[in-house]
Amino acid sequence: MPARKELIAMLRERQAWDIIVIGGGATGLGTAVDAATRGYRTLLLEAHDFAKGTSSRSTKLVHGGVRYLAQGNIGLVREALRERGLLLQNAPHLVHRLGFVVPAYAWWALPFYGAGLKAYQVLSGGLSAGPTTLLSPKKAMELLPTLEQKELKGGVLYYDAQFDDSRLAVTLVRTLFDQGGVALNYLPATGLQKQNGQICGVVAQDAETGETFVLESKAVVNATGVFVDAVRRLDEPSAKSMLAPSQGAHLVVDRRFLPSAHGLMIPKTDDGRVLFAVPWHDKVILGTTDKEVPEVSLEPRARGWEIEFILSTAGRYLDPKPAVDDVKSVYAGLRPLVKAGRAGSTAALSRDHTIRVSKSGLITVTGGKWTTYRCMGEQVVDRAVAVAGLGYAASRSAGLKLHGYSADPLDEPWCVYGSEAEKVRALPGAHVLLHPQLPYTESQVRFAARYELARTVEDVLARRTRALFLDAKASLEAAPKVAQLLAEELGYPATHQQVLLEQYRGIAAAYTLKHTHDNST
């Protein structure tokens, strides 16, 4: 992996590209990787850090969407189940099969949910993650020992998959480089170049130095998630908004609330969604919510009612019941949902994606979800080939093994590195924890700085490791050590080291429940 200064030098020397992708989240990375595998000269620009926004704030599931099946969106479910199967094959170091128990507390629930989840399995065809089976009350309790026993009639076991979202994003960045593409974080697109009314490139500025680049490209893709409207208005200042963004919040608690290798799926909450309790990195994620928000934010915050709703709903099904004081971290993400007339609520809007091409040729993609990132990227590149008149080359991403591919399971925290785990362990500090309550080591910080384009304390603690999401308070206590290690690796002066530390403290405070719970609106 080239160092940032080498990548910046490359931009100065090579200004002509086939495809420039704006946005380093799931969709942008999927598009860039697909384009590079076809042999197109591909550049990805990210204004902040890869997966800084929605793509690091998911429920950590690779799934077809049981709720979408109930809504009758068979096509979306079938597509997502196929992509789930491909991810299990192409990135087994990051994506794992996970069984879920749906508890039944009424006589009709077992046949009702059993039939629906059997259909869900059938739709996956030859890429099934596992069989759907009915459970007795005793078996349901064996799989989920903290399940509420009162009036339990049994349950349904079905299978989906789980992943680490921002680690998959970092892996896709590495994969892009493997395929001959280039990606840069902290290099926002500030304008679009046009010739005869048609887009022919991007103006970008290095957020660290202020240096400006005018980059030529045959095709430009806007894959900026909830921020697509802002980029569209660089092309057409009067463009109307195409999104109705919604927010989903999550709480992270200790594993004692779900001491199991299986997850819990609550099939219908008071707001008409499903709610999950998911084991993840030796913690448990509870979520999520779905409520339209009036404006988008780079750092959305969970609202008081969301926290209370998740705790209250989870408390009906778990014993012991999680309480405010048990929450280790709280995070929220925004979904880029495409407007569809009067849908009534964001929960009713489709999670399918949309691709639009403006009069000047800007290709905008939004909507969708992590599970379908690859096929979204393939479709966007197909459109770019047609719009820009690129020579046709078939997509190869469906069978592409991602960087670090390894079928050999590893222990925490090395599992997400796959075949590169030994390379991480060989660096100084592999046996020195950043904090007693976190699984991460000094060597992982060094690896993030040297090989994963990490530039800030937040990059390391939020996305290269998941410390902020697992235990916000512990991550704050580990932050000075991370700032020191980054300074050593990247040559930062003491003043910049302190700036990075203060920036992280400001961001991480919102992940602690004490800070967030006061916000009840």
Side-chain angles (χ1 to χ4, degrees):
M1 168 73 83
R4 182 181 177 83
K5 63 182 180 180
E6 296 169 340
L7 295 172
I8 292 293
M10 185 187 302
L11 288 194
R12 296 191 192 108
E13 298 167 3
R14 176 182 171 183
Q15 297 181 328
W17 304 84
D18 291 323
I19 297 178
I20 292 179
V21 179
I22 305 172
T27 309
L29 288 165
T31 299
V33 168
D34 188 87
T37 62
R38 303 191 198 198
Y40 301 125
R41 294 172 298 174
T42 305
L43 171 65
L44 181 143
L45 303 175
E46 165 54 43
H48 303 282
D49 186 31
F50 308 113
K52 158 72 174 177
T54 302
S55 295
S56 63
R57 304 161 190 258
S58 73
T59 315
K60 322 306 180 193
L61 299 180
V62 176
H63 63 137
V66 174
R67 185 163 58 89
Y68 314 146
L69 181 62
Q71 293 172 350
N73 198 336
I74 304 298
L76 175 61
V77 174
R78 183 183 286 114
E79 178 182 71
L81 288 172
R82 177 177 182 270
E83 293 300 317
R84 180 193 69 182
L86 293 178
L87 265 169
L88 284 165
Q89 291 178 359
N90 295 331
H93 56 307
L94 289 168
V95 184
H96 313 279
R97 195 177 74 125
L98 182 66
F100 283 90
V101 174
V102 180
Y105 292 94
W107 64 268
W108 54 266
L110 276 173
F112 180 78
Y113 293 121
L117 291 167
K118 189 65 178 178
Y120 184 71
Q121 176 199 334
V122 170
L123 280 173
S124 63
L127 293 173
S128 171
T132 296
T133 54
L134 298 182
L135 304 174
S136 66
K138 180 181 178 182
K139 187 62 179 178
M141 292 300 302
E142 287 178 3
L143 295 181
L144 297 183
T146 53
L147 192 62
E148 174 60 58
Q149 295 187 58
K150 187 178 180 181
E151 298 185 13
L152 181 67
K153 303 296 190 294
V156 182
L157 172 66
Y158 77 99
Y159 287 87
D160 254 322
Q162 180 186 54
F163 76 139
D164 186 314
D165 46 13
S166 70
R167 287 303 315 178
L168 179 55
V170 172
T171 296
L172 288 171
V173 172
R174 304 292 303 278
T175 305
L176 175 60
F177 279 96
D178 292 343
Q179 298 297 316
V182 176
L184 271 159
N185 49 356
Y186 299 103
L187 201 85
T190 57
L192 298 171
Q193 291 286 99
K194 290 186 180 180
Q195 186 174 32
N196 299 324
Q198 294 297 297
I199 288 176
C200 61
V202 172
V203 180
Q205 186 174 53
D206 188 343
E208 296 186 359
T209 66
E211 182 177 0
T212 298
F213 300 87
V214 179
L215 307 164
E216 298 177 14
S217 183
K218 295 176 182 177
V220 176
V221 175
N222 171 18
T224 52
V226 294
F227 299 102
V228 290
D229 287 329
V231 176
R232 288 173 63 234
R233 288 172 188 137
L234 294 176
D235 175 33
E236 300 177 24
S238 61
K240 294 182 180 180
S241 173
M242 63 185 289
L243 294 184
S246 78
Q247 176 165 300
H250 301 80
L251 307 180
V252 179
V253 296
D254 280 330
R255 190 171 180 271
R256 69 184 180 89
F257 292 99
L258 195 74
S260 172
H262 293 76
L264 166 67
M265 195 271 268
I266 300 166
K268 190 167 185 179
T269 62
D270 293 342
D271 68 348
R273 288 185 54 80
V274 299
L275 190 126
F276 293 97
V278 185
W280 190 67
H281 292 319
D282 208 34
K283 294 282 193 261
V284 175
I285 295 174
L286 305 174
T288 181
T289 54
D290 193 327
K291 190 70 172 180
E292 186 172 0
V293 291
E295 58 186 23
V296 297
S297 166
L298 191 60
E299 282 292 338
R301 297 183 177 183
R303 293 155 289 192
W305 72 262
E306 291 180 291
I307 295 162
E308 292 164 6
F309 172 81
I310 293 172
L311 288 174
S312 173
T313 304
R316 298 178 200 170
Y317 296 86
L318 295 176
D319 183 18
K321 305 178 188 304
V324 168
D325 291 343
D326 298 312
V327 176
K328 295 293 185 180
S329 183
V330 53
Y331 66 94
L334 300 181
R335 304 178 186 90
L337 304 182
V338 180
K339 290 180 178 178
R342 297 183 179 180
S345 72
T346 52
L349 289 180
S350 173
R351 266 49 178 176
D352 211 345
H353 60 277
T354 294
I355 302 171
R356 294 186 185 177
V357 181
S358 73
K359 293 179 181 178
S360 61
L362 177 66
I363 303 161
T364 293
V365 55
T366 193
K369 56 181 182 171
W370 248 120
T371 305
T372 55
Y373 87 91
R374 190 213 61 82
C375 66
M376 290 167 62
E378 178 182 339
Q379 292 170 24
V380 172
V381 176
D382 284 343
R383 187 69 64 90
V385 169
V387 169
L390 300 173
Y392 178 75
S395 173
R396 298 192 299 111
S397 58
L400 180 67
K401 289 180 169 52
L402 301 187
H403 186 90
Y405 173 92
S406 174
D408 298 326
L410 298 171
D411 295 331
E412 296 278 6
W414 315 108
C415 52
V416 296
Y417 298 100
S419 63
E420 286 200 311
E422 286 306 315
K423 189 175 181 179
V424 185
R425 284 194 282 237
L427 294 176
H431 302 291
V432 182
L433 291 174
L434 296 175
H435 189 280
Q437 301 301 316
L438 295 170
Y440 305 115
T441 69
E442 291 184 1
S443 67
Q444 291 174 272
V445 181
R446 297 187 187 280
F447 189 83
R450 295 184 193 184
Y451 303 108
E452 297 180 336
L453 294 177
R455 307 294 295 172
T456 72
V457 175
E458 182 199 351
D459 294 348
V460 172
L461 289 174
R463 290 173 292 278
R464 304 311 185 278
T465 73
R466 309 316 307 272
L468 177 59
F469 289 76
L470 297 178
D471 192 323
K473 181 175 180 291
S475 80
L476 279 163
E477 293 169 357
K481 170 58 72 174
V482 172
Q484 176 191 329
L485 291 168
L486 280 179
E488 291 178 16
E489 290 291 329
L490 300 176
Y492 290 152
T495 52
H496 189 60
Q497 181 180 338
Q498 191 60 34
V499 167
L500 292 180
L501 189 55
E502 290 305 314
Q503 287 176 344
Y504 182 72
R505 286 170 175 160
I507 290 170
Y511 287 71
T512 62
L513 202 52
K514 182 180 185 301
H515 182 280
T516 308
H517 198 56
D518 295 333
N519 179 13
S520 59
T521 58

